[in-house]
C-alpha cells in the first residue's frame, strides 16, 4: 500500500466496524478497515445471518409436517443436512460480497491482516504482504467476541461443538446436549430438535432464556417441551467423559445430586469473551474489565482518539447495537453531535421456535427499580390473523409506569415477534405514553393488533380477551 495515512482506521469488519467505516467515509473521512478473517465478522459469517438461514430451513420443514392442517398434502418429507448447510454458507458468502461492494462504492480501503495498536495514532498490520504501519488521528477497535469455553467443556469439533461447528456439522446429532439456554444455545437447540435430534438443554439459572421476562420464559419452555425438548433448569454440567467414535457421558448436577446422561453430540453455548488479546490495548492505557473494554456513553476509551464499539465494549452483545455505535462514533469523529445509545431501548431477539423478542425492563426489573407498574398481557389465540396463520400459540406482555404512563418494557413470544418488536422500540425511543399507543390505529387483520391489545390490557381495556 502506497498511502498509509488516514483520518480513521477501524480494526475489525464486523457489523460494528464495517458500518463505522462506511458511515465515516460517507461523511468525507479517509478510512481504512482492517479485518483478519472475513468481512462482516462473526455475525455475518458465523452468527446472525447463517443461523437464520438454517432456522428458515427448519421452519419450512416444520410447516411441511403441518400441511394437512391447511388442507394440503405433502408426502415423503425429508431433509438433506448438507444441502441445508450449503444454502446457509451461500447466504453468508453473498452478504460478505455485498460488504466488499459497499467498501468499493464508499472508497473505504479494505486491508486483510492482523492489526494491533503501535503507539498514539498508529496501527501495525501484519498480512501476507508483510508488515506496515498505518497512521490515523482516530482509531476504532471493533474486534468483537468469541465463544466462552469452560474448563472440561472445551470444544473439539467432533463430540463437543461451539456455534462454528454447529453451523457446519460433521453429522446430524441423534442425541444432543446443549449447554446454555441463551439466544445461541436455544436457537441451535430449536434447529436440531426440529430436524429430529433428541435434544436436552441444560441451564444453570432458574429458567430458560434467563434474560427474558419470567412469563415469556415460562411460556417458551412449555412450547419447547411440547416439541419434545428436555429442559433442565438450575442444573450444571460438571464434567464430560468423551469416547471418540462413540459419544459423551455428561455429569449433570441438579438439586445437589449428580447424574450421568449419554449423548453423541454436545453444543457448548455458555457465553462469550471479548477479543482483547494481542491488540496492545493495555499498553495504550485502555482499561479492560472481564475481557471487555471500558468506555463512556460515546464509546470513548479515555485514550485520546481511541474508541471501542460492539461486543468488545460490553453488553448488550447485539449486532444492531454494534452497528448503531459505529454510526454514532463515526459521526462524533466527523464533528456531528450524535445522541448516545440507550441500552434499555435496544431490542433483543431470539429466533427459536417460537420466536422471542423484548425491549426495556422486565416486570421484575421494573419493580426492583422502584416503579409501580401496570401489566398488560394478550394471547395470540385472541387474534384473528394469528389463528388464520395457524400460529395461535404466543403471548405479548407490556410493562408500564403506573404513575406516568411510560412504556417501561415489552416482551413477546410467538410467530414473527422479532419483526413486530420494533413497534415498541420506536415507542420507547419517542417516549410514547400509554395514551398515545391506545389512540394509535393498528391495521386489521394483522398480528400487530396484539401489540395494541397488550397496551389496552394494562389499563383494563382489552377488547378480545
Amino acid at each position: 500500500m502506497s498511502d498509509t495515512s488516514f483520518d480513521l482506521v477501524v480494526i475489525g469488519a464486523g457489523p460494528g466496524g464495517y458500518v463505522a467505516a462506511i458511515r465515516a467515509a460517507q461523511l468525507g473521512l479517509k478510512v481504512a478497515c482492517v479485518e483478519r478473517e472475513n468481512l462482516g465478522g462473526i455475525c455475518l459469517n458465523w452468527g446472525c445471518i447463517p443461523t437464520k438461514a438454517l432456522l428458515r430451513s427448519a421452519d419450512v420443514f416444520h410447516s411441511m409436517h403441518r400441511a394437512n392442517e391447511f388442507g394440503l398434502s405433502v408426502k415423503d418429507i425429508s431433509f438433506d443436512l448438507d444441502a441445508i448447510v450449503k444454502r446457509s454458507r451461500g447466504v453468508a458468502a453473498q452478504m460478505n460480497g455485498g460488504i466488499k461492494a459497499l467498501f468499493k462504492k464508499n472508497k473505504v480501503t479494505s486491508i486483510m491482516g492482523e492489526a494491533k495498536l503501535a503507539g498514539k495514532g498508529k496501527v501495525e498490520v501484519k498480512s501476507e504482504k508483510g508488515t506496515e504501519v498505518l497512521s490515523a488521528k482516530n482509531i476504532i477497535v471493533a474486534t468483537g467476541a468469541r465463544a466462552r469455553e469452560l474448563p472440561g467443556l472445551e470444544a473439539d469439533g467432533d463430540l463437543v461443538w461451539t456455534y462454528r461447528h454447529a453451523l457446519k456439522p460433521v453429522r446430524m446429532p441423534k442425541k444432543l446436549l446443549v449447554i446454555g439456554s441463551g439466544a445461541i444455545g436455544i436457537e441451535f437447540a430449536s434447529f436440531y430438535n426440529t430436524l429430529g435430534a433428541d435434544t436436552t438443554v441444560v441451564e444453570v439459572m432458574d429458567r430458560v432464556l434467563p434474560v427474558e421476562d419470567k412469563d415469556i420464559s415460562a411460556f417458551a419452555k412449555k412450547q419447547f417441551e411440547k416439541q419434545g425438548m428436555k429442559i433442565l433448569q438450575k442444573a450444571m454440567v460438571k464434567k464430560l467423559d468423551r469416547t471418540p467414535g462413540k459419544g459423551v457421558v455428561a455429569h449433570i448436577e441438579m438439586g445437589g445430586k449428580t447424574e450421568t446422561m449419554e449423548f453423541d453430540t454436545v453444543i457448548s453455548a455458555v457465553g462469550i469473551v471479548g477479543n482483547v488479546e494481542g491488540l496492545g490495548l493495555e499498553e495504550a492505557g485502555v482499561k479492560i474489565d472481564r475481557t471487555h473494554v471500558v468506555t463512556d456513553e460515546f464509546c470513548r476509551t479515555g485514550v485520546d482518539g481511541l474508541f471501542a464499539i460492539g461486543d468488545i465494549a460490553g453488553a448488550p452483545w447485539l449486532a444492531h447495537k454494534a452497528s448503531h455505535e459505529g454510526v454514532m462514533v463515526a459521526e462524533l469523529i466527523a464533528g456531528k453531535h450524535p445522541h448516545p445509545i440507550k441500552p434499555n431501548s435496544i431490542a433483543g431477539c431470539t429466533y427459536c421456535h417460537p420466536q422471542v423478542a423484548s425491549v426495556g425492563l422486565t416486570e421484575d426489573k421494573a419493580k426492583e427499580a422502584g416503579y409501580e407498574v401496570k401489566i398488560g398481557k394478550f394471547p395470540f389465540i385472541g387474534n384473528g390473523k394469528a389463528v388464520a396463520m395457524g400460529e395461535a400459540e404466543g403471548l405479548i406482555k407490556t410493562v408500564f409506569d403506573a404513575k406516568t404512563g411510560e412504556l417501561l418494557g415489552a416482551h413477546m413470544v410467538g410467530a414473527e415477534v422479532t419483526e413486530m418488536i420494533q413497534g415498541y422500540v420506536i415507542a420507547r425511543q419517542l417516549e410514547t405514553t400509554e395514551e398515545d399507543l391506545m389512540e394509535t390505529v393498528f391495521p386489521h387483520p394483522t398480528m400487530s393488533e396484539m401489540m395494541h391489545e397488550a397496551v389496552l390490557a394494562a389499563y383494563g381495556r382489552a377488547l378480545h380477551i
Side-chain angles (χ1 to χ4, degrees):
M1 184 190 304
S2 57
D3 194 349
T4 59
S5 179
F6 298 89
D7 297 315
L8 169 65
V9 171
V10 182
I11 303 175
Y18 87 75
V19 168
I22 290 172
R23 182 61 184 137
Q26 289 175 342
L27 292 168
L29 300 182
K30 184 181 177 185
V31 183
C33 185
V34 185
E35 170 56 47
R36 68 182 180 182
E37 188 177 7
N38 303 113
L39 295 182
I42 294 299
C43 171
L44 194 149
N45 296 280
W46 295 103
C48 315
I49 301 303
T51 55
K52 301 310 147 316
L54 293 182
L55 287 161
R56 176 58 177 162
S57 292
D59 284 342
V60 174
F61 187 66
H62 173 74
S63 295
M64 290 167 69
H65 280 87
R66 298 180 59 199
N68 65 315
E69 296 178 30
F70 299 89
L72 306 174
S73 177
V74 178
K75 297 180 180 179
D76 301 322
I77 301 171
S78 64
F79 67 88
D80 181 337
L81 185 59
D82 289 341
I84 290 172
V85 171
K86 182 179 179 181
R87 176 180 181 272
S88 170
R89 301 316 305 159
V91 170
Q94 179 180 338
M95 301 306 292
N96 176 276
I99 295 176
K100 291 179 183 177
L102 288 170
F103 273 3
K104 184 177 181 180
K105 173 186 175 182
N106 289 282
K107 297 181 173 58
V108 173
T109 299
S110 179
I111 306 170
M112 299 306 295
E114 192 90 20
K116 64 177 291 186
L117 303 177
K120 182 174 176 57
K122 302 290 183 182
V123 176
E124 179 184 282
V125 181
K126 291 183 180 179
S127 67
E128 294 178 352
K129 300 177 182 178
T131 301
E132 61 184 337
V133 177
L134 313 179
S135 62
K137 185 177 180 181
N138 297 284
I139 299 167
I140 296 176
V141 179
T143 51
R146 63 186 183 278
R148 181 187 300 278
E149 293 196 294
L150 300 180
L153 308 183
E154 296 91 349
D156 54 40
D158 179 20
L159 298 175
V160 183
W161 300 349
T162 65
Y163 59 86
R164 285 203 181 213
H165 304 117
L167 281 165
K168 292 185 69 176
V170 293
R171 64 179 169 277
M172 174 63 199
K174 293 180 180 177
K175 194 167 184 183
L176 173 66
L177 169 64
V178 178
I179 307 174
S181 73
I184 295 173
I186 213 68
E187 286 185 1
F188 280 118
S190 187
F191 172 71
Y192 284 109
N193 186 73
T194 299
L195 294 188
D198 180 355
T199 305
T200 298
V201 178
V202 172
E203 172 55 54
V204 70
M205 302 298 285
D206 62 355
R207 63 177 186 260
V208 294
L209 297 165
V211 302
E212 301 296 342
D213 185 90
K214 60 184 178 183
D215 290 330
I216 301 302
S217 293
F219 190 100
K221 180 192 176 190
K222 288 181 180 178
Q223 296 303 306
F224 298 151
E225 290 177 331
K226 191 181 293 186
Q227 296 163 21
M229 279 191 216
K230 299 176 186 68
I231 306 293
L232 305 180
Q233 299 172 156
K234 292 196 286 188
M236 180 180 295
V237 178
K238 303 295 289 186
K239 187 172 68 167
L240 296 175
D241 296 331
R242 314 177 198 208
T243 304
K246 290 188 176 180
V248 177
V249 175
H251 298 253
I252 303 173
E253 183 182 278
M254 294 178 290
K257 297 181 180 180
T258 299
E259 61 179 285
T260 58
M261 299 182 186
E262 295 182 3
F263 302 91
D264 64 77
T265 309
V266 176
I267 296 177
S268 179
V270 291
I272 61 173
V273 293
N275 293 321
V276 296
E277 304 88 350
L279 293 168
L281 290 169
E282 290 176 306
E283 294 86 341
V286 174
K287 184 179 179 181
I288 296 175
D289 179 24
R290 290 170 291 180
T291 79
H292 292 93
V293 174
V294 177
T295 64
D296 68 6
E297 61 184 349
F298 287 104
C299 297
R300 294 177 290 214
T301 65
V303 176
D304 187 41
L306 184 61
F307 303 81
I309 64 173
D311 286 355
I312 197 176
W317 298 286
L318 300 166
H320 42 289
K321 172 252 195 184
S323 294
H324 202 89
E325 286 179 338
V327 170
M328 177 185 72
V329 172
E331 294 185 349
L332 190 67
I333 291 170
K336 305 293 183 182
H337 302 283
H339 294 288
I341 292 173
K342 301 174 184 176
N344 272 336
S345 289
I346 300 174
C349 297
T350 305
Y351 300 83
C352 47
H353 183 79
Q355 294 180 7
V356 175
S358 60
V359 65
L361 299 177
T362 65
E363 178 181 352
D364 287 345
K365 289 294 183 182
K367 289 177 178 177
E368 287 174 18
Y371 289 101
E372 180 186 341
V373 298
K374 283 187 176 292
I375 304 298
K377 298 178 186 179
F378 191 84
F380 275 42
I381 192 67
N383 177 264
K385 178 71 177 293
V387 174
M389 289 178 62
E391 298 289 355
E393 298 287 343
L395 174 70
I396 297 181
K397 177 176 179 178
T398 55
V399 182
F400 285 92
D401 182 342
K403 295 180 180 179
T404 67
E406 177 189 358
L407 176 65
L408 298 175
H411 312 275
M412 316 166 80
V413 56
E416 300 305 324
V417 296
T418 58
E419 296 293 338
M420 291 193 288
I421 191 64
Q422 190 61 18
Y424 286 131
V425 174
I426 293 170
R428 279 186 54 78
Q429 184 67 21
L430 297 179
E431 299 181 353
T432 304
T433 66
E434 90 288 4
E435 184 177 355
D436 296 322
L437 288 166
M438 287 181 185
E439 295 300 323
T440 299
V441 179
F442 285 70
H444 173 80
T446 64
M447 307 277 277
S448 67
E449 290 176 276
M450 292 183 286
M451 299 170 64
H452 190 217
E453 291 272 18
V455 174
L456 294 172
Y459 292 84
R461 291 178 52 181
L463 299 170
H464 292 93
I465 53 170

